[in-house]
Amino acid sequence: MKSNTIMQERFGIPPSLLSGYLGIMLFMMGDGMEQGWLSPYLIERGMSIQQTASLFTAYGVTIAIASWFSGVLAETYTPKKAMLAGLIIYLLGTVGFIAFGMRSLHFPTMLVTYALRGFGYPLFAYSFLVWISYVTPRQMLGRAVGWFWFVFTGGLNVLGAFYSSWAIRELGPIPALWSAVFWVLLGALFALVFNKAQFPKGKTEAGRKLAELSKGLTIVKEEPKVLMAGIIRIINTTAQFAFPVFLPTYMAQHGFNTTDWLYIWGTIFTSNIIFNLFFGFVGDKLGWRQTIIWFGGVGCGITTLLLFYLPQLAPGNYAIVMTAGILWGACLAGYVPLSALTPSLVTKDKGAAMAILNLGAGLAVFAGPAIVGLFIAPLGNAGVIWILAGLYFISAIMTVFVKHTTPLPNVEPAAA
């Protein structure tokens, strides 16, 4: 009992949810293991880059929809039931995608099943985030949520990338895809079976929650700055979901094979999760907007260009390109204060403001591949990179205007 208290007070992790955190990491590891290599693999088998972009775009659309509704479903039907639904949908989509779509590269089947799969992880992971918000004492909620994003990103982008770099080499691409099911089921075992935390019943009614969901749409008209924050959030991770569609093929042209790329991709997000914590402190000292503008917008814009042009200047130079990737991952974390800035823009309906931010996160999964699909043919790799870099610079300019109408004492320094 004493050790549980120490864990919660020192680390901010509710002991009753500890197995759930581990489950989220394992689930996301399985879910994200193909992100860095599926596009070049499908292109090698004869599909066009536009088709792979369409595949990831459809996936992003369903992720955005599921992200938007996950909170309502979790609070209405309990997180455990919403997570179970996410697991079942993920498994149906994955089995259909691998067994029927991938077998003959039947594009319509691949499109439908991969899109179905996209409903899975938001329902599973974001429902658990609701669970955290109810079980954790208010004074420790910030740390508890921080740990959620640590295991979420660590599983999706770090462990998934490093595991897949081994799996596609030792098992082969198709068996590697099937092995993801094992990690997802193992994660579900920890999050749904071993996790004994109770969720308070009778907290919400479906009608009221749906009304709050609609408020998340009307707030963008009442508070235009919240809309701007949502657009900035889309830009934040658009490149993250655009890069895997075309960058592995580009890197292969400059001396980096798929395994090299996966190690770079995994290290990028190792850097990112470390700097997520760092820029939380920087934002409190320097100011939320200043951190987003200079480290997020300007930093990501510059490092996006470096990540593209350095392989041309130093073909096959692993250390140089890896350094550029680490810098990009670090700057990506410069947008972390946006999660603090956005709810502070309104005096009420903070939940609706955060819903817009969550929707922006989901839409980025759609926007990244869509940009590649639309512009890779007419503009080429360089054109897509300049669009992504330009969006980062635009987000820096937009952030200048996302400011409080009245000062918030002890929240953000005057410098912001």
Side-chain angles (χ1 to χ4, degrees):
M1 183 67 69
K2 185 177 181 181
S3 62
N4 286 349
T5 303
I6 292 173
M7 177 181 292
Q8 181 156 308
E9 291 180 352
R10 182 172 297 177
F11 299 107
I13 299 177
S16 61
L17 288 176
L18 184 59
S19 65
Y21 279 90
L22 177 58
I24 293 296
M25 177 174 282
L26 293 171
F27 185 99
M28 297 310 301
M29 174 183 167
D31 180 89
M33 63 88 62
E34 86 286 350
Q35 279 192 356
W37 59 269
L38 183 60
S39 179
Y41 172 73
L42 293 175
I43 291 170
E44 287 176 4
R45 290 190 59 186
M47 290 180 63
S48 69
I49 195 167
Q50 288 83 0
Q51 285 179 312
T52 63
S54 298
L55 197 67
F56 284 103
T57 300
Y59 179 66
V61 169
T62 55
I63 284 177
I65 295 170
S67 299
W68 182 250
F69 281 100
S70 59
V72 172
L73 294 175
E75 290 192 318
T76 304
Y77 299 106
T78 76
K80 183 168 283 191
K81 290 180 180 178
M83 292 170 72
L84 181 60
L87 171 65
I88 293 171
I89 293 172
Y90 170 89
L91 292 174
L92 290 173
T94 298
V95 171
F97 179 71
I98 302 173
F100 301 103
M102 291 284 287
R103 183 172 60 184
S104 58
L105 287 189
H106 186 255
F107 185 67
T109 301
M110 295 172 69
L111 197 66
V112 171
T113 53
Y114 203 63
L116 177 64
R117 186 176 179 272
F119 285 107
Y121 92 66
L123 286 174
F124 192 89
Y126 297 155
S127 296
F128 184 74
L129 187 58
V130 173
W131 207 341
I132 292 171
S133 70
Y134 275 102
V135 171
T136 309
R138 185 179 181 86
Q139 68 273 18
M140 300 175 187
L141 185 56
R143 280 172 288 169
V145 170
W147 279 110
F148 168 82
W149 290 113
F150 180 88
V151 298
F152 179 93
T153 306
L156 180 66
N157 297 118
V158 179
L159 294 179
F162 287 132
Y163 168 71
S164 62
S165 68
W166 173 87
I168 60 174
R169 183 179 67 250
E170 300 297 331
L171 305 177
I174 300 300
L177 286 174
W178 281 117
S179 73
V181 174
F182 167 78
W183 296 109
V184 165
L185 289 174
L186 185 62
L189 180 67
F190 278 96
L192 298 178
V193 179
F194 296 160
N195 177 17
K196 301 299 183 182
Q198 298 297 312
F199 184 74
K201 295 182 179 180
K203 284 286 185 180
T204 58
E205 296 177 359
R208 184 163 66 84
K209 288 308 299 177
L210 289 174
E212 290 180 13
L213 190 66
S214 66
K215 183 65 178 177
L217 294 174
T218 59
I219 195 173
V220 299
K221 182 178 179 180
E222 300 168 4
E223 301 285 352
K225 292 174 185 177
V226 173
L227 175 60
M228 291 180 68
I231 295 171
I232 293 167
R233 181 62 185 88
I234 297 172
I235 294 172
N236 174 194
T237 48
T238 289
Q240 176 181 334
F241 297 100
F243 282 169
V245 180
F246 76 104
L247 215 51
T249 305
Y250 169 78
M251 289 289 183
Q253 298 168 2
H254 297 282
F256 299 92
N257 61 35
T258 300
T259 300
D260 293 334
W261 163 249
L262 288 172
Y263 275 117
I264 292 170
W265 190 243
T267 306
I268 282 173
F269 287 97
T270 303
S271 166
N272 177 253
I273 61 176
I274 292 171
F275 278 89
N276 278 341
L277 303 175
F278 174 76
F279 279 117
F281 288 100
V282 170
D284 287 340
K285 296 294 184 182
L286 179 64
W288 296 333
R289 288 192 305 122
Q290 295 296 328
T291 302
I292 297 166
I293 290 167
W294 295 107
F295 293 102
V298 175
C300 280
I302 293 172
T303 53
T304 294
L305 297 175
L306 287 176
L307 197 55
F308 181 77
Y309 286 106
L310 283 178
Q312 296 181 23
L313 299 174
N317 193 316
Y318 192 75
I320 288 178
V321 175
M322 178 71 83
T323 300
I326 290 171
L327 290 174
W328 182 77
C331 289
L332 196 66
Y335 285 92
V336 160
L338 190 62
S339 294
L341 177 62
T342 303
S344 71
L345 296 172
V346 295
T347 55
K348 59 179 182 176
D349 299 321
K350 295 182 183 293
M354 287 303 294
I356 293 298
L357 210 61
N358 291 338
L359 180 61
L363 287 174
V365 187
F366 153 79
I371 288 172
V372 178
L374 289 171
F375 297 106
I376 194 75
L379 302 179
N381 292 326
V384 173
I385 279 291
W386 276 99
I387 289 173
L388 296 173
L391 287 172
Y392 280 126
F393 294 131
I394 289 170
S395 77
I397 297 170
M398 291 177 65
T399 307
V400 173
F401 302 98
V402 182
K403 60 178 71 173
H404 312 295
T405 52
T406 57
L408 294 179
N410 301 321
V411 173
E412 184 177 14

